[in-house]
Structures are given as C-alpha cells and as structure tokens.
Amino acid sequence: MRNILYKHGRLLLAVLGLLLLCTACTPGNERFTADAPAGFWMGLWHGAISMISLIVHIFNRSVHMYELHNTGAWYDFGFLMGAVSVWGGGTKASCVYKSKKKC
C-alpha cells in the first residue's frame, strides 16, 4: 500500500512540474515586443500548450492563449500546427460515424 502511494505521489509531482514548466512559457509575457515578435517556433509551442494556457487564463487574466506581438502568418501557421498536432485534428471523430471503417 505504501509503494502505491509513493508511486502516485511521484507521478503527481511529475505532472505538476510539467504543468509548471508549460505555464512558464505561455503567451502574453514581456518577452516579446513589437521590435522582437514571436515567430514560427514560438507559435508552434503556444499552439501545443493552448489548452493549458486557456485553463490558466481562466484563473489568471495576465496569461493569454495567443501572443499579440507576433510575426503574422508564420506565427499563425505555427500556432495552428501546434494545436492540431497535440490536440488532434478531428480525425478520430470522423470514425465514429463510419462504423465499418477502421481508423
């Protein structure tokens, strides 16, 4: 019983540490300005952590989902690719309606 609690405690600490790491790089901080905007790679990262950023934004208004100071189309493309690659593009949802097709 003690081993189970120890393992779950370590897992909980690891998950909390990962969440803390993810929120450290959320959009909307002072790192990016109009002179040094966020580019494709930061858009990719911000898209990947978009759901975490949304949850944190509910409790902390200074955290945003999207970086306002960005390079434009390249940041948008990176954000979209990050969100789709991590959170899925709806491909599994289309399989629900096609019961004969295996996904």
Side-chain angles (χ1 to χ4, degrees):
M1 181 72 170
R2 199 170 206 184
N3 274 343
I4 292 172
L5 291 175
Y6 181 71
K7 286 181 183 179
H8 289 303
R10 288 179 57 176
L11 179 65
L12 180 64
L13 284 175
V15 169
L16 288 175
L18 183 65
L19 285 175
L20 183 64
L21 179 68
C22 287
T23 58
C25 301
T26 56
N29 58 13
E30 296 82 26
R31 179 177 175 189
F32 300 107
T33 62
D35 296 330
F40 171 78
W41 295 109
M42 287 311 295
L44 188 70
W45 175 248
H46 291 160
I49 64 167
S50 60
M51 188 62 68
I52 297 167
S53 297
L54 176 64
I55 293 168
V56 172
H57 176 70
I58 292 170
F59 300 105
N60 184 358
R61 296 290 178 180
S62 67
V63 174
H64 301 286
M65 274 189 62
Y66 189 83
E67 180 61 51
L68 298 177
H69 300 290
N70 62 57
T71 56
W74 282 112
Y75 178 83
D76 294 340
F77 181 66
F79 188 89
L80 181 66
M81 294 307 296
V84 168
S85 65
V86 172
W87 305 114
T91 56
K92 288 289 185 185
S94 67
C95 294
V96 173
Y97 298 109
K98 300 175 184 177
S99 61
K100 294 181 181 178
K101 182 181 175 184
K102 287 189 174 183
C103 294

